[in-house]
Amino acid sequence: MTRIGDQGGVPELEPEVFDDAIVAVALTAGPDHRLMYVNDAFRKLFGPRELGARSCEVFTEPNAAHYLDMLDQVYADGVARQVLTPRTTEGTAPGAPGRRHFMYSASPVVSRYGRGVLSVAVDTTAQAEAAQRAEELSEERFRGLQRYEALMSAVTQIVWLMRPDGAITELVGGFEEFTGLPWRPVIDEEWLESVHPHDRSHLVRTWQEASGGTPSRFVCTFRMRTATGAYRHVQSRAVPIVRDGRAVEWIGATADVEDQWRNRLRERLLARVATVTGAEDVAQAFAAVAAAVVPELTDACVVFALPVTGAPDEPLTATRVASSARPGLPELPPLGPRSYTVGPVARQVIESRRTELLVFPSGHPPEGVVPDVSRDWLRAARATSLTLVPVVVDSAVVAYACAAGCADGPPPGAADVALLNEVLHEVREPLRQVLELQRIRHTAYTLQRALLTSPPRVPGADLAAHYQPASKTAEIGGDWYDALLLPDGAVTLSIGDIAGHDLDAATSMSQLRSMLRVIAYDRARPQTPAESLAQLDRVAEGLDIAPLVTAVHAVLAPRPGGGWHAAWSNAGHPPPLLLPAAGPPRYLEGGAGPDLPLCVAPWLPRTTWHYDLRPGDLLLLYTDGLIEVPGTDLAEGMTHLARAAADARRRAMPLAELCAHLLAGVEERRDDAAVIGFRPLGAYTAATPARPSAPPV
């Protein structure tokens, strides 16, 4: 800790600031040079020395005479001196290390012990031992010593001394040059006005924590207003000088750390942006973008997505797809599918692809920049600025972000806007991947929906089907169903699942569905369901259409006496669910369970199972997405499905509503799902048990 004393402008210091210094430091006081202080580095280099004794009694080595003469000269004329010729520690006090080389200097100081001399020694052993580099390294060490000694008067930081009552003295100047304001001798509300409004409470709280109770080191990074009006990050560090358990003074330094802070912030923000790659849909990707810049770079951020295509003569619209705000601000309005007409400012940003900064009085955002729901929020948040940034992917503006400065805070500086631009520019590649994935999913979904047509009307029976993608990701898989009314009045029901969740799976599904339709419709050569699946298996394997397929294929024929005869074959698929008109629901699993899936072993035989459906019975075919519930096994899922189906039938739901109800009843579905139901109409008659064909195909 240094300050200007009353003795000829000589620096006054507290020697304890050198406790952790890597160079050896000793302090003597008075004309007889009594040794008042040495640090740990001094003891390691020269061994232990008696404090309070005269230097001539402490430094008794034969080669110490020159040092004692230097102490006299520096004390007498107040001129610092240096010894550039390396010295050795031979013959030093007991407890000192072996032979070491060092250089030293002596400077006049004033401390609490009065006038004295500060000695600084630098260990140069490494240089001396490297003879071939002695001259070069000696010069480097000397420059290091000079730099260290110049620290007291040539540091780039603002060095200050503060008393417990808040009185503060600037030891090394720079405050006025940095802030454009004169130095204030006390920390008060007026002094805090130079601190960014959003950082004041943090600064005060951090100081109170360091100074309250047992004094501890104070470290705080905050923003201060500069002479240009912009804010820069500074860091203040201070240590207490403790006497009798209380801090009598604080010695501190404040440095401009804007460049370091901004580089670290840039690394953090770009790391956050990288999480966009893991987003499962566009909304989640834009949410990651908004969250990445809040709160470090802006108080709040809303992302408006633009339509993929639009007619040139139609007004440009945008949809609020993501938003984020720092704690302490009003709750953000909910997002929704509603589109808003893009105002002239946002349109200019989109067309020019240039960022626009709007500054306005607190709580008075201009009209037409954002939707009314966002403008109302900006009023409540006491917003003072809006930064509109276009989000460009593959040369097209896919969205624009609105970053808001709130709570009466000052607008962002040029560096903040530049970093915001950089972060949103870096998001283009991961966002492009998400958009491409969405396009593929949309194509697959369109293909799948086009193929999963409404089932035909069947005389004497109810027939309904329903498909639903996964809950979270709207991911399209290979689930499919089909119902075909044959010329002889029979009906084929098919349901299956192809491994995969992409356009390939949807394409494979369309091929298999079409081929099974042809096989089933060809009644010139009637085949059992097992024969139909076996033929499909051979073709799919030969054409390498899919790696793995599960399916149930059923043929239902009306019986002359009423009811319907059901014949089906199961290729590794969940068993059909039967809800009899009377009695509990049960699964038609067959004696040995399902056959192998398709595309596994097409040469193996397959089995056809039979059951006579009575009027009022309900037969459900479904995919595994309906029984796969996170945290449970398939048996639990099947039990839940049977219970839910029985409950829905007791409530006399129409069949189409019942199918939709079963799919909607599974929360957080990880897979897509499909269900198709068949119910004979007419009076109830007794049922017969399921039986296999003989022999199996």
Side-chain angles (χ1 to χ4, degrees):
M1 177 179 69
T2 61
R3 62 184 173 210
I4 303 301
D6 299 328
Q7 315 215 12
V10 177
E12 180 178 338
L13 60 79
E14 292 288 352
E16 286 79 8
V17 299
F18 299 106
D19 285 351
D20 297 326
I22 61 174
V23 295
V25 177
L27 174 66
T28 60
D32 54 357
H33 313 301
R34 292 186 178 274
L35 185 64
M36 308 307 297
Y37 169 84
V38 295
N39 65 357
D40 288 341
F42 184 94
R43 284 187 283 269
K44 290 179 181 178
L45 183 60
F46 298 107
R49 304 289 167 141
E50 181 183 358
L51 296 180
R54 294 181 301 169
S55 292
C56 62
E57 299 169 348
V58 174
F59 301 101
T60 58
E61 297 89 338
N63 56 3
H66 184 272
Y67 170 63
L68 297 175
D69 290 341
M70 180 183 287
L71 292 179
D72 289 334
Q73 294 169 3
V74 172
Y75 186 85
D77 60 17
V79 177
R81 289 171 171 80
Q82 297 135 358
V83 174
L84 305 182
T85 305
R87 304 289 173 149
T88 67
T89 58
E90 288 181 319
T92 55
R99 178 187 175 93
R100 307 293 294 175
H101 294 260
F102 67 94
M103 296 186 299
Y104 65 93
S105 68
S107 304
V109 296
V110 175
S111 70
R112 60 176 178 269
Y113 306 110
R115 289 182 56 217
V117 178
L118 181 73
S119 301
V120 178
V122 179
D123 189 338
T124 61
T125 304
Q127 293 92 317
E129 291 177 348
Q132 67 276 19
R133 298 179 57 215
E135 181 177 353
E136 174 189 347
L137 295 180
S138 177
E139 178 64 22
E140 179 62 27
R141 278 291 184 180
F142 172 57
R143 288 198 299 268
L145 176 61
Q146 287 182 316
R147 288 194 294 267
Y148 187 86
E149 292 175 333
L151 178 65
M152 306 299 290
S153 59
V155 293
T156 59
Q157 301 179 351
I158 302 170
V159 182
W160 44 270
L161 174 72
M162 191 170 73
R163 295 197 299 267
D165 61 1
I168 185 168
T169 303
E170 188 178 30
L171 305 179
V172 178
F175 180 86
E176 183 171 350
E177 180 181 357
F178 184 85
T179 65
L181 301 173
W183 174 263
R184 286 189 60 76
V186 64
I187 300 295
D188 55 11
E189 291 297 328
E190 187 172 344
W191 189 94
L192 284 174
E193 288 183 1
S194 296
V195 178
H196 194 286
H198 295 170
D199 294 345
R200 292 170 190 168
S201 60
H202 170 63
L203 172 61
V204 172
R205 183 172 61 254
T206 305
W207 173 256
Q208 291 172 342
E209 292 173 354
S211 60
T214 302
S216 59
R217 188 176 66 159
F218 165 75
V219 180
C220 186
T221 301
F222 55 95
R223 287 165 289 182
M224 288 196 73
R225 188 173 58 245
T226 66
T228 64
Y231 284 86
R232 292 182 67 84
H233 283 82
V234 300
Q235 186 178 82
S236 285
R237 293 174 173 264
V239 293
I241 304 300
V242 181
R243 294 178 187 168
D244 300 327
R246 66 184 185 88
V248 295
E249 290 176 324
W250 291 78
I251 178 68
T254 300
D256 185 338
V257 296
E258 177 69 21
D259 293 338
Q260 302 95 307
W261 180 89
R262 194 161 295 280
N263 287 336
R264 287 195 296 269
L265 175 63
R266 178 181 179 275
E267 292 174 1
R268 289 200 306 272
L269 294 181
L270 294 181
R272 290 184 190 175
V273 164
T275 63
V276 174
T277 305
E280 297 178 328
D281 56 33
V282 174
Q284 193 178 80
F286 282 128
V289 172
V293 297
V294 175
E296 284 92 343
L297 205 52
T298 186
D299 293 327
C301 181
V302 180
V303 179
F304 292 87
L306 299 174
V308 178
T309 58
D313 55 343
E314 293 181 355
L316 181 61
T317 60
T319 306
R320 295 171 58 251
V321 293
S323 61
S324 181
R326 67 172 175 82
L329 294 177
E331 183 178 356
L332 288 164
L335 303 172
R338 180 181 175 185
S339 296
Y340 302 90
T341 301
V342 174
V345 176
R347 179 179 283 275
Q348 180 182 352
V349 168
I350 295 168
E351 293 175 351
S352 66
R353 301 183 183 181
R354 300 186 57 151
T355 297
E356 184 77 20
L357 172 62
L358 305 177
V359 180
F360 43 84
S362 176
H364 292 81
E367 294 184 8
V369 178
V370 293
D372 289 343
V373 64
S374 297
R375 187 164 180 259
D376 291 341
W377 185 89
L378 292 172
R379 288 196 193 99
R382 307 195 315 278
T384 57
S385 66
L386 267 179
T387 308
L388 279 68
V389 185
V391 180
V392 182
V393 177
D394 291 340
S395 302
V397 180
V398 299
Y400 62 95
C402 291
C406 303
D408 303 327
D416 294 324
V417 175
L419 183 54
L420 183 63
N421 267 315
E422 181 181 3
V423 170
L424 294 180
H425 179 71
E426 289 296 324
V427 80
R428 69 192 187 285
E429 181 56 30
L431 193 57
R432 187 195 65 77
Q433 298 176 23
V434 176
L435 289 170
E436 177 64 15
L437 180 59
Q438 177 186 252
R439 186 193 65 79
I440 293 174
R441 285 174 176 165
H442 178 73
T443 301
Y445 183 74
T446 302
L447 173 62
Q448 195 166 30
R449 297 299 290 182
L451 293 171
L452 300 179
T453 55
S454 299
R457 287 174 131 357
V458 179
D462 274 345
L463 181 60
H466 197 76
Y467 170 83
Q468 185 167 309
S471 304
K472 274 191 173 180
T473 64
E475 208 169 52
I476 304 305
D479 286 16
W480 55 279
Y481 66 81
D482 192 20
L484 182 63
L485 185 61
L486 302 177
D488 59 4
V491 179
T492 66
L493 302 183
S494 303
I495 197 159
D497 188 0
I498 297 177
H501 294 85
D502 52 22
L503 185 57
D504 289 341
T507 303
S508 298
M509 176 271 292
S510 69
Q511 292 175 302
L512 289 174
R513 177 180 179 272
S514 298
M515 286 192 296
L516 186 55
R517 275 195 147 209
V518 171
I519 294 171
Y521 195 83
D522 184 10
R523 305 308 285 174
R525 297 177 52 201
Q527 299 190 86
T528 66
E531 291 171 333
S532 296
L533 283 185
Q535 184 175 353
L536 178 66
D537 197 4
R538 291 190 296 272
V539 175
E541 174 75 10
L543 297 179
D544 194 22
I545 292 177
L548 184 71
V549 181
T550 68
V552 171
H553 176 59
V555 177
L556 296 97
R559 301 178 66 219
W564 291 69
H565 176 74
W568 73 93
S569 184
N570 188 339
H573 200 78
L577 174 60
L578 174 67
L579 285 84
R586 59 191 179 92
Y587 287 95
L588 302 178
E589 300 184 85
D595 299 326
L596 289 176
L598 305 179
C599 307
V600 174
W603 57 87
L604 292 180
R606 296 190 174 277
T607 306
T608 294
W609 292 86
H610 301 270
Y611 186 85
D612 287 330
L613 295 173
R614 304 304 181 186
D617 289 351
L618 174 59
L619 181 67
L620 292 175
L621 308 183
Y622 54 92
T623 59
D624 58 4
L626 196 57
I627 56 175
E628 285 184 340
V629 180
T632 66
D633 57 26
L634 287 180
E636 291 181 66
M638 292 171 66
T639 300
H640 175 79
L641 173 60
R643 187 181 302 116
D647 179 67
R649 192 181 64 173
R650 279 193 299 269
R651 291 155 59 184
M653 283 187 182
L655 186 55
E657 183 179 339
L658 183 146
C659 291
H661 171 76
L662 294 179
L663 290 175
V666 181
E667 297 181 358
E668 299 299 321
R669 183 179 296 108
R670 295 176 297 185
D671 198 3
D672 54 345
V675 61
I676 186 168
F678 181 86
R679 178 163 53 196
L681 302 178
Y684 164 74
T685 56
T688 58
R691 60 189 186 280
S693 295
V697 176

